[in-house]
């Protein structure tokens, strides 16, 4: 069986606020990659529930954070089709993404 590892490293300031997020993965080559935000969700077997880690750095702009959230919802829409073939649920999630993207576009035009 092939094994793959993903490692995250979080640099915190003295108030424990993330200043830098880096990651590496055995399947992504030897380079260290940097991110402004991460969103990790796990389905815990024991608790039969979701465990989440949401972190973002001080330099993550609000507009990018909002886009990050919309992108995550879109990614989950693709995941639900692949995992369950529930096209209706995916369509509703995509519709929400479209609505939120339009909202963000209007916000950005107003600035």
């Amino acid at each position: 069986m092939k094994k793959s590892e993903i490692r995250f490293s979080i640099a915190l300031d003295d108030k424990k606020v993330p200043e830098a997020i880096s990651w590496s993965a055995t399947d992504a080559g030897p380079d260290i990659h940097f991110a402004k935000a991460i969103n990790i969700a796990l389905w815990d077997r024991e608790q039969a529930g979701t465990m989440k880690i949401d972190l973002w750095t001080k330099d993550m702009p609000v507009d990018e954070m909002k886009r990050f959230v919309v992108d995550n919802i879109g990614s989950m829409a693709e995941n639900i089709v692949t995992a369950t073939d529930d096209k209706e649920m995916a369509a509703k999630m995509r519709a929400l993404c479209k609505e939120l993207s339009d909202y963000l576009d209007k916000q950005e035009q107003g600035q």
Side-chain angles (χ1 to χ4, degrees):
M1 171 178 10
K2 184 179 187 309
K3 186 175 181 181
S4 182
E5 290 186 13
I6 302 170
R7 294 176 186 244
F8 293 96
S9 179
I10 315 299
L12 304 172
D13 68 9
D14 58 344
K15 294 178 184 169
K16 298 185 178 180
V17 175
E19 289 189 323
I21 299 169
S22 62
W23 66 275
S24 62
T26 54
D27 289 349
D31 295 339
I32 294 175
H33 306 274
F34 293 90
K36 290 183 183 178
I38 61 173
N39 178 322
I40 302 168
L42 309 166
W43 184 260
D44 185 86
R45 286 184 186 197
E46 301 292 319
Q47 300 294 322
T50 302
M51 298 178 71
K52 290 181 52 48
I53 299 172
D54 297 305
L55 296 172
W56 54 94
T57 59
K58 296 176 185 180
D59 67 338
M60 179 68 163
V62 170
D63 59 327
E64 287 183 22
M65 187 63 170
K66 291 177 181 182
R67 295 284 178 184
F68 177 62
V69 170
V70 174
D71 285 350
N72 271 289
I73 296 168
S75 176
M76 288 187 290
E78 298 310 310
N79 186 33
I80 201 70
V81 171
T82 302
T84 69
D85 200 35
D86 190 333
K87 293 177 180 73
E88 183 177 346
M89 186 172 178
K92 290 178 185 224
M93 294 171 77
R94 288 184 192 112
L96 175 61
C97 287
K98 172 75 171 111
E99 181 180 337
L100 292 171
S101 290
D102 291 347
Y103 166 75
L104 293 176
D105 290 344
K106 286 179 187 173
Q107 269 193 336
E108 289 170 4
Q109 289 171 1
Q111 293 177 353

